[in-house]
Amino acid sequence: MPHSFGYRARTRDLFSKAYKTKGRPMLGRYLVNFHVGDYVDIKADPSVQSGMPHKFYHGRTGIVFNVTKSAVGVEVTKVVGNRQLRKRIHVRVEHVRKSRCFF
């Protein structure tokens, strides 16, 4: 049987939650304020399917370039061939957290 090539293909372990962490995100996840220029980590929350980024961006760090009421725009670098592209994606706030990196 040929395997599937869907949008969430081969994400069985990537988009699974640990023991006793299943269910919807806590309220504090929605109360975090994001500002343009903040460094954020993209970590997809599998309990919220809407606004989920592609599996490539899971675990990536980017810079906020746009803020809306329920989502943030994040600029991430992606290596394509021999060059680095700056990709701009919009992700809901459930899938984003402030980064602890030191830039």
Side-chain angles (χ1 to χ4, degrees):
M1 290 276 301
H3 61 280
S4 63
F5 294 97
Y7 195 73
R8 291 181 61 163
R10 293 172 289 283
T11 60
R12 180 178 185 161
D13 294 326
L14 187 70
F15 289 161
S16 63
K17 297 186 94 169
Y19 178 64
K20 288 189 177 180
T21 62
K22 298 185 185 341
R24 303 293 287 184
M26 298 293 177
L27 189 61
R29 185 76 68 85
Y30 297 98
L31 298 177
V32 178
N33 291 323
F34 294 101
H35 304 287
V36 175
D38 285 349
Y39 281 88
V40 292
D41 295 328
I42 300 172
K43 188 174 181 202
D45 189 346
S47 63
V48 181
Q49 286 83 31
S50 59
M52 183 183 283
H54 189 264
K55 63 187 175 187
F56 171 81
Y57 300 105
H58 183 80
R60 305 275 171 164
T61 302
I63 303 171
V64 175
F65 73 90
N66 186 23
V67 180
T68 63
K69 64 176 184 171
S70 61
V72 292
V74 184
E75 190 173 85
V76 187
T77 58
K78 181 177 184 179
V79 177
V80 178
N82 61 348
R83 63 197 190 279
Q84 278 190 336
L85 299 179
R86 296 229 271 343
K87 305 287 281 189
R88 289 184 154 201
I89 59 172
H90 280 84
V91 185
R92 280 182 69 128
V93 293
E94 296 95 329
H95 310 291
V96 169
R97 59 197 61 181
K98 289 203 174 188
S99 180
R100 289 185 279 178
C101 65
F102 300 104
F103 282 108

